[in-house]
Amino acid sequence: MELLYALTLGVLTMSGVYLLLRARTFPVVVGLTLISYAVNLFLFAMGRLHTGKPAVLGQVAEHADPLPQALVLTAIVIGFAMTAFALVLALRAQGELENDHVDGRGKR
Amino acid sequence: MDHLVILPILLPMFAGALLLLSGRASEGFKRSLCLLATLLQLPLAIALMAQASGGLQVYAAGNWMPPFGIVLVVDHLAALLLLVTAVLAIAAVVYAVRGDDLLGANFHALFQFQLMGINGAFLTGDLFNLFVFFEILLIASYALLLHGTGSARIRSGLHYVLLNLFGSALFLIAIGTLYGVTGTLNLADLSQRVAQLPAPDAPLVGAAAMLLLVVFGLKAAVFPLYFWLPKAYAAATPPVAALFAIMTKVGIYSILRIYTQVFGDTAGPLADLANGWLWPAALLTLVLGTIGALAASTLNGLISYLLVVSVGTLLAGLALDSHDALVGSLYYLIHSTWVCGALFLFAGIISRCRGPRFVGRLVPGPALSRPTLLSGLFFLAAISVIGLPPLSGFVGKLLLLRAAETGVAAGWLYSLLLGSGLVSIIAFSRAGSTLFWRTDPAAAAGGPVDNVRLAAVLALLLCSPLLVVFAGPLLDYLTITVDQLLDPQEYARQVLSMQISTSGGGH
């Protein structure tokens, strides 16, 4: 499971960075989304990977660390809002600059 | 428990929420509410400063005890920075209510949320909470930066938003790694865990710490991560740019907090981790900022690059890592925040006087009304920000240079800091003579000067001679601040020894 998990993170991050470097607003936003997925999964894994362990005290003998899950929830909410904002901004930039390059110039 | 500690966060939060709800209310109501909420920050900050001198104030949110709950900690440094923010924010908001707030929607609400984020970042004693407050101040700053119109603002705003989104991702990776290895995010607890770190874990924690440095460097606009700043700040409206003068300092503050208290002298195998990197980065920031200032073609661009120079100067003080150097850095931090803020506001006044055709471009323009007053103010601000006697920039630089003592480091610092001062004099005299003397007779006469806006600038500029007059008591305060900062064990002891104060309140 660890290997699969690590590979997933790696592929997500790699794709995200590649898309970021495309320097076109839409791919950049998608790239940032992929990176934030990878980061959220990474945060989650920092509580160690378990199966069948609830993050609730008192119900079972062994429980998973609830803190990373809380951190991930916060990060997801913030990341979601940020993606929405970046999208709106990208649309406005496209409208005002008539170009989808992040510098607002270059070939269309 | 004393709830005063959390008020600098709650006050702008509720004021901001109320301002959002009263979206249709009259401008007068919104302006007065925003002004009132910002003015209240000042007595709050002073009260916290007085409390801080009686020892560390720790506030456990929701009465969850550290290291498990989130704590807010007021020490001398946090209280001081709250005060610096409050003074700057009051001047910015007084300037803004004269019309700049109408350029876009919800200026006042965003302004309050921005203050909430900044205050929270200074107060928090928890790394993840620091991330959350960073995000709050960033979200507000994204919207504030785009306040108004213009394609330059959109373009630089897009860069700013995308870079900071990536920065946030790095921040989370660093936080995740630190939590995964040490099992805590409370700064006090973290400093103890890092000090007793087993050797195999050290590289992993070191990597996370360096990632944090990248994130804070991006916020503080340190070489090679400062390229977004000049364009973004030069395009922002004057009150927003003035408030943003404290934003780079939030980055500097975080570097100071994390790399003296957690990865400082006591950090075992990771002691003084960042110092080797901070020094060259600081000097390069200083040099490149100076070159940028020399090449700037607008007044706002010039001031933005001077902000970069001030970041380089501050960071050089941090990298020297001695008691005296930190005192000098903190003094310089207060000075540069207020004076750069005043300069941004002043550039706004000049741009309005010169009309939309010339704004702040450094080309011969119309003759200004009340030239003696404006040029006199410009002269004073320039002297202060460059660091010539008798104003506060001089004292700040003197403290830093004296702290460098002798040796190779001193050689670099003396030559670069003084050289940068000289080049800044050239840049400023060129800008000043173009703005005030080389008038274009064909251009229409300049507009009137607004007295309230001028008063805001004057009030901030007046802080510079005040910083010199009260340098003695201030330096005493800063000495205690740095003593406290350089004693992470005492900090950790006081934070972690907190007990549940009300019976039955714990879990």
Side-chain angles (χ1 to χ4, degrees), chain B residues 36-51:
Chain B
L36 181 73
T38 316
L39 279 174
L40 276 178
Q41 296 279 347
L42 194 62
L44 259 181
I46 293 173
L48 281 176
M49 229 166 163
Q51 274 200 358

PDB file of all heavy atoms in Angstrom, chain B residues 36-51:
ATOM      1  N   LEU B  36     -13.486  52.838  13.160  1.00  0.00           N
ATOM      2  CA  LEU B  36     -13.592  52.573  14.597  1.00  0.00           C
ATOM      3  C   LEU B  36     -12.873  51.273  14.954  1.00  0.00           C
ATOM      4  O   LEU B  36     -12.066  51.216  15.896  1.00  0.00           O
ATOM      5  CB  LEU B  36     -15.073  52.486  14.989  1.00  0.00           C
ATOM      6  CG  LEU B  36     -15.333  52.230  16.469  1.00  0.00           C
ATOM      7  CD1 LEU B  36     -15.022  53.490  17.258  1.00  0.00           C
ATOM      8  CD2 LEU B  36     -16.774  51.807  16.700  1.00  0.00           C
ATOM      9  N   ALA B  37     -13.155  50.202  14.163  1.00  0.00           N
ATOM     10  CA  ALA B  37     -12.545  48.906  14.457  1.00  0.00           C
ATOM     11  C   ALA B  37     -11.029  48.993  14.351  1.00  0.00           C
ATOM     12  O   ALA B  37     -10.298  48.378  15.137  1.00  0.00           O
ATOM     13  CB  ALA B  37     -13.084  47.852  13.497  1.00  0.00           C
ATOM     14  N   THR B  38     -10.533  49.771  13.374  1.00  0.00           N
ATOM     15  CA  THR B  38      -9.090  49.887  13.213  1.00  0.00           C
ATOM     16  C   THR B  38      -8.486  50.713  14.343  1.00  0.00           C
ATOM     17  O   THR B  38      -7.418  50.373  14.863  1.00  0.00           O
ATOM     18  CB  THR B  38      -8.760  50.525  11.854  1.00  0.00           C
ATOM     19  OG1 THR B  38      -9.591  49.934  10.865  1.00  0.00           O
ATOM     20  CG2 THR B  38      -7.322  50.311  11.486  1.00  0.00           C
ATOM     21  N   LEU B  39      -9.191  51.804  14.726  1.00  0.00           N
ATOM     22  CA  LEU B  39      -8.677  52.640  15.816  1.00  0.00           C
ATOM     23  C   LEU B  39      -8.592  51.847  17.119  1.00  0.00           C
ATOM     24  O   LEU B  39      -7.655  52.020  17.894  1.00  0.00           O
ATOM     25  CB  LEU B  39      -9.580  53.861  16.010  1.00  0.00           C
ATOM     26  CG  LEU B  39      -9.352  55.010  15.039  1.00  0.00           C
ATOM     27  CD1 LEU B  39     -10.392  56.088  15.251  1.00  0.00           C
ATOM     28  CD2 LEU B  39      -7.956  55.594  15.211  1.00  0.00           C
ATOM     29  N   LEU B  40      -9.578  50.957  17.339  1.00  0.00           N
ATOM     30  CA  LEU B  40      -9.588  50.166  18.576  1.00  0.00           C
ATOM     31  C   LEU B  40      -8.378  49.247  18.686  1.00  0.00           C
ATOM     32  O   LEU B  40      -7.988  48.835  19.775  1.00  0.00           O
ATOM     33  CB  LEU B  40     -10.871  49.341  18.654  1.00  0.00           C
ATOM     34  CG  LEU B  40     -12.090  50.076  19.206  1.00  0.00           C
ATOM     35  CD1 LEU B  40     -13.302  49.180  19.181  1.00  0.00           C
ATOM     36  CD2 LEU B  40     -11.810  50.543  20.630  1.00  0.00           C
ATOM     37  N   GLN B  41      -7.792  48.901  17.511  1.00  0.00           N
ATOM     38  CA  GLN B  41      -6.612  48.029  17.540  1.00  0.00           C
ATOM     39  C   GLN B  41      -5.467  48.650  18.328  1.00  0.00           C
ATOM     40  O   GLN B  41      -4.657  47.945  18.926  1.00  0.00           O
ATOM     41  CB  GLN B  41      -6.115  47.762  16.115  1.00  0.00           C
ATOM     42  CG  GLN B  41      -7.061  47.018  15.247  1.00  0.00           C
ATOM     43  CD  GLN B  41      -7.013  45.540  15.507  1.00  0.00           C
ATOM     44  OE1 GLN B  41      -6.108  45.054  16.158  1.00  0.00           O
ATOM     45  NE2 GLN B  41      -7.989  44.822  15.019  1.00  0.00           N
ATOM     46  N   LEU B  42      -5.416  49.983  18.294  1.00  0.00           N
ATOM     47  CA  LEU B  42      -4.278  50.654  18.923  1.00  0.00           C
ATOM     48  C   LEU B  42      -4.270  50.486  20.445  1.00  0.00           C
ATOM     49  O   LEU B  42      -3.273  50.003  20.998  1.00  0.00           O
ATOM     50  CB  LEU B  42      -4.282  52.131  18.512  1.00  0.00           C
ATOM     51  CG  LEU B  42      -3.009  52.893  18.809  1.00  0.00           C
ATOM     52  CD1 LEU B  42      -1.839  52.297  18.059  1.00  0.00           C
ATOM     53  CD2 LEU B  42      -3.163  54.356  18.427  1.00  0.00           C
ATOM     54  N   PRO B  43      -5.381  50.847  21.154  1.00  0.00           N
ATOM     55  CA  PRO B  43      -5.367  50.604  22.602  1.00  0.00           C
ATOM     56  C   PRO B  43      -5.209  49.128  22.936  1.00  0.00           C
ATOM     57  O   PRO B  43      -4.546  48.776  23.934  1.00  0.00           O
ATOM     58  CB  PRO B  43      -6.732  51.133  23.065  1.00  0.00           C
ATOM     59  CG  PRO B  43      -7.535  51.342  21.864  1.00  0.00           C
ATOM     60  CD  PRO B  43      -6.591  51.576  20.738  1.00  0.00           C
ATOM     61  N   LEU B  44      -5.793  48.242  22.096  1.00  0.00           N
ATOM     62  CA  LEU B  44      -5.644  46.798  22.322  1.00  0.00           C
ATOM     63  C   LEU B  44      -4.172  46.402  22.301  1.00  0.00           C
ATOM     64  O   LEU B  44      -3.690  45.688  23.190  1.00  0.00           O
ATOM     65  CB  LEU B  44      -6.353  46.045  21.211  1.00  0.00           C
ATOM     66  CG  LEU B  44      -7.722  45.460  21.509  1.00  0.00           C
ATOM     67  CD1 LEU B  44      -8.226  44.732  20.287  1.00  0.00           C
ATOM     68  CD2 LEU B  44      -7.605  44.519  22.676  1.00  0.00           C
ATOM     69  N   ALA B  45      -3.473  46.878  21.259  1.00  0.00           N
ATOM     70  CA  ALA B  45      -2.060  46.518  21.113  1.00  0.00           C
ATOM     71  C   ALA B  45      -1.265  47.067  22.294  1.00  0.00           C
ATOM     72  O   ALA B  45      -0.379  46.378  22.835  1.00  0.00           O
ATOM     73  CB  ALA B  45      -1.510  47.064  19.806  1.00  0.00           C
ATOM     74  N   ILE B  46      -1.596  48.292  22.721  1.00  0.00           N
ATOM     75  CA  ILE B  46      -0.851  48.881  23.840  1.00  0.00           C
ATOM     76  C   ILE B  46      -1.127  48.097  25.130  1.00  0.00           C
ATOM     77  O   ILE B  46      -0.209  47.817  25.909  1.00  0.00           O
ATOM     78  CB  ILE B  46      -1.222  50.374  23.996  1.00  0.00           C
ATOM     79  CG1 ILE B  46      -0.710  51.139  22.776  1.00  0.00           C
ATOM     80  CG2 ILE B  46      -0.629  50.947  25.262  1.00  0.00           C
ATOM     81  CD1 ILE B  46      -1.137  52.573  22.718  1.00  0.00           C
ATOM     82  N   ALA B  47      -2.408  47.702  25.325  1.00  0.00           N
ATOM     83  CA  ALA B  47      -2.738  46.924  26.513  1.00  0.00           C
ATOM     84  C   ALA B  47      -1.989  45.596  26.516  1.00  0.00           C
ATOM     85  O   ALA B  47      -1.451  45.162  27.549  1.00  0.00           O
ATOM     86  CB  ALA B  47      -4.242  46.678  26.570  1.00  0.00           C
ATOM     87  N   LEU B  48      -1.917  44.947  25.334  1.00  0.00           N
ATOM     88  CA  LEU B  48      -1.209  43.666  25.251  1.00  0.00           C
ATOM     89  C   LEU B  48       0.282  43.857  25.501  1.00  0.00           C
ATOM     90  O   LEU B  48       0.939  43.008  26.106  1.00  0.00           O
ATOM     91  CB  LEU B  48      -1.437  43.025  23.886  1.00  0.00           C
ATOM     92  CG  LEU B  48      -2.770  42.325  23.741  1.00  0.00           C
ATOM     93  CD1 LEU B  48      -2.939  41.811  22.326  1.00  0.00           C
ATOM     94  CD2 LEU B  48      -2.852  41.171  24.711  1.00  0.00           C
ATOM     95  N   MET B  49       0.809  44.991  25.029  1.00  0.00           N
ATOM     96  CA  MET B  49       2.219  45.282  25.240  1.00  0.00           C
ATOM     97  C   MET B  49       2.499  45.403  26.739  1.00  0.00           C
ATOM     98  O   MET B  49       3.497  44.899  27.249  1.00  0.00           O
ATOM     99  CB  MET B  49       2.547  46.601  24.570  1.00  0.00           C
ATOM    100  CG  MET B  49       3.757  46.566  23.697  1.00  0.00           C
ATOM    101  SD  MET B  49       3.759  48.032  22.682  1.00  0.00           S
ATOM    102  CE  MET B  49       5.436  47.999  22.164  1.00  0.00           C
ATOM    103  N   ALA B  50       1.567  46.091  27.441  1.00  0.00           N
ATOM    104  CA  ALA B  50       1.736  46.248  28.887  1.00  0.00           C
ATOM    105  C   ALA B  50       1.650  44.887  29.572  1.00  0.00           C
ATOM    106  O   ALA B  50       2.437  44.585  30.475  1.00  0.00           O
ATOM    107  CB  ALA B  50       0.663  47.188  29.431  1.00  0.00           C
ATOM    108  N   GLN B  51       0.715  44.039  29.104  1.00  0.00           N
ATOM    109  CA  GLN B  51       0.584  42.702  29.689  1.00  0.00           C
ATOM    110  C   GLN B  51       1.821  41.863  29.442  1.00  0.00           C
ATOM    111  O   GLN B  51       2.250  41.110  30.305  1.00  0.00           O
ATOM    112  CB  GLN B  51      -0.612  41.990  29.077  1.00  0.00           C
ATOM    113  CG  GLN B  51      -1.919  42.293  29.767  1.00  0.00           C
ATOM    114  CD  GLN B  51      -2.945  41.223  29.464  1.00  0.00           C
ATOM    115  OE1 GLN B  51      -2.682  40.289  28.706  1.00  0.00           O
ATOM    116  NE2 GLN B  51      -4.119  41.365  30.048  1.00  0.00           N
TER     117      GLN B  51
END
